[in-house]
Amino acid sequence: MARYTGAACRRCRRENIKLYLKGDRCYSDKCSFERRAVAPGQHGQSRFKKVSDYCVQLREKQKVKNIYGMLEGQFRNYFHKADLQKGITGENLLVMLERRLDNTIFRLGFASSRKQARQLVRHNHVLVNDKKVNIPSFLVSVDDVISIKEKSKTNSYLVESMEAVARRGIPSWLELDKNAFKATVKALPNRDEITMPIQEQLIVELYSK
């Protein structure tokens, strides 16, 4: 499947916000966004730039796509599914994205970034209810038990990520047993727990045109 292979830090600079795409590096002085918080390209430092409503909506959609590491087709499919559900479409969309297995692994601290979490899932390190699941887009449900394979618990990247988990914190809808590398989904994600500055209504307006 096609994936963006360019510099991750360009995405943060383009959206003018830290997207935390490179794990621990984003918390250090090496973060490119901290050193050069301007849009990429020769016109990145332009001060006065007229922005249309469509541009604002598009950038919001691109920002959320980049945060969760999605392709356009995938993201659009999630929106259509969210639109068919009861409730507020924008909130339904964010809840579905939070329920993705790769995002859940990242939230639990088993990986330092969603990209690394996706690799853990793809490489068969993750179990859901004691069954191997290697699909990053798998949606977790209430009472699901997520764990790391016994042979994978000594993985150096996994151990380092678990040591740094206290810095991010664990959302209340997840319950982590750090010593056993196991977690339980206590409830579905709540919109209030998604702390990234996301204006989902702009995405709804964009796709409603």
Side-chain angles (χ1 to χ4, degrees):
M1 181 179 289
R3 284 286 170 194
Y4 174 78
T5 57
C9 295
R10 286 177 61 92
R11 292 185 161 190
C12 297
R13 291 168 55 199
R14 170 58 62 195
E15 307 305 336
N16 195 31
I17 187 175
K18 266 193 178 187
L19 302 179
Y20 298 96
L21 302 177
K22 300 189 75 171
D24 290 338
R25 184 186 178 94
C26 297
Y27 296 93
S28 70
D29 295 336
K30 296 180 180 179
C31 176
S32 296
F33 182 79
E34 294 287 354
R35 291 186 284 113
R36 195 180 181 193
V38 295
Q42 68 183 74
H43 302 297
Q45 298 188 41
S46 300
R47 291 186 178 182
F48 304 105
K49 193 174 183 181
K50 292 183 179 180
V51 179
S52 66
D53 290 341
Y54 173 79
C55 181
V56 173
Q57 295 163 358
L58 179 62
R59 291 263 52 93
E60 192 67 22
K61 186 260 291 183
Q62 292 296 95
K63 179 175 72 176
V64 177
K65 269 179 53 184
N66 290 334
I67 289 174
Y68 290 97
M70 310 284 293
L71 295 175
E72 178 60 38
Q74 290 176 307
F75 193 82
R76 185 180 289 272
N77 286 338
Y78 275 111
F79 178 83
H80 289 321
K81 290 178 182 178
D83 195 28
L84 294 174
Q85 295 177 2
K86 293 182 180 179
I88 303 172
T89 300
E91 293 187 9
N92 292 341
L93 172 63
L94 294 183
V95 168
M96 289 180 67
L97 295 177
E98 281 290 302
R99 288 175 57 200
R100 282 175 56 97
L101 182 57
D102 56 357
N103 177 76
T104 306
I105 293 297
F106 167 70
R107 293 294 193 194
L108 288 167
F110 291 155
S112 61
S113 66
R114 290 180 179 84
K115 182 178 181 180
Q116 191 180 92
R118 192 155 43 246
Q119 289 180 323
L120 281 176
V121 176
R122 281 292 190 194
H123 295 173
N124 301 315
H125 295 293
V126 178
L127 303 175
V128 178
N129 299 326
D130 295 324
K131 295 181 181 179
K132 181 181 68 177
V133 177
N134 58 7
I135 302 173
S137 61
F138 176 86
L139 297 182
V140 299
S141 302
V142 178
D143 294 330
D144 278 353
V145 177
I146 302 165
S147 58
I148 301 297
K149 286 175 61 176
E150 191 64 35
K151 292 182 179 180
S152 304
K153 291 180 180 179
T154 56
N155 183 298
S156 59
Y157 292 108
L158 181 63
V159 173
E160 290 173 6
S161 297
M162 289 298 291
E163 291 175 352
V165 69
R167 180 168 52 207
R168 291 202 310 267
I170 305 296
S172 61
W173 57 280
L174 296 171
E175 186 176 67
L176 173 65
D177 184 345
K178 188 175 179 180
N179 295 325
F181 290 86
K182 181 180 292 187
T184 303
V185 181
K186 298 193 300 180
L188 293 181
N190 190 296
R191 175 64 184 91
D192 295 335
E193 295 178 296
I194 304 174
T195 56
M196 290 293 289
I198 296 173
Q199 301 180 62
E200 62 272 15
Q201 184 56 34
L202 294 176
I203 302 173
V204 176
E205 292 172 1
L206 176 67
Y207 281 127
S208 299
K209 289 184 181 295

